[in-house]
Amino acid sequence: AQLAEQYTKAGKANGAQVVPAGLAFAKSVARKPELDLYVADKRHPSLAGTYLAACTVYAALLGKSPVGNAYTAGLPADVAQHLQQVAWETVREYVGK
């Protein structure tokens, strides 16, 4: 939360939009800790993590929900649905602040 706050401050100070991908990762981990969003090095995103980041960027930049998007990047439909929902909720919460 502290890191997100600093990114938000920096974005506002520089007139830049901030995509809350880190907050989306945290929300997904809280809800589905068994879903691995990182590869073995724990620094780079897995396919699921990359998909979540992409959904978050989509939601933040376009202001549209990714929920229901048919493209799953090869992830199981229920996993894609979870990630789409987390991205959309996170962006709506973040923009509302």
Side-chain angles (χ1 to χ4, degrees):
Q2 292 175 348
L3 184 58
E5 184 178 333
Q6 293 305 313
Y7 275 113
T8 301
K9 285 181 182 177
K12 286 182 181 180
N14 291 287
Q17 183 175 3
V18 176
V19 175
L23 295 175
F25 271 61
K27 185 182 289 283
S28 179
V29 168
R31 289 188 183 171
K32 285 188 177 268
E34 72 280 4
L35 180 58
D36 200 353
L37 300 178
Y38 297 94
V39 295
D41 70 6
K42 299 297 182 193
R43 297 182 77 183
H44 295 92
S46 64
L47 176 61
T50 300
Y51 186 82
L52 175 57
C55 287
T56 306
V57 169
Y58 175 92
L61 295 183
L62 299 179
K64 295 169 60 175
S65 174
V67 177
N69 190 318
Y71 180 72
T72 66
L75 294 167
D78 64 318
V79 171
Q81 169 70 26
H82 161 75
L83 297 171
Q84 292 169 358
Q85 188 66 43
V86 165
W88 182 233
E89 288 175 15
T90 302
V91 168
R92 286 188 8 217
E93 291 167 5
Y94 184 77
V95 170
K97 289 184 178 182

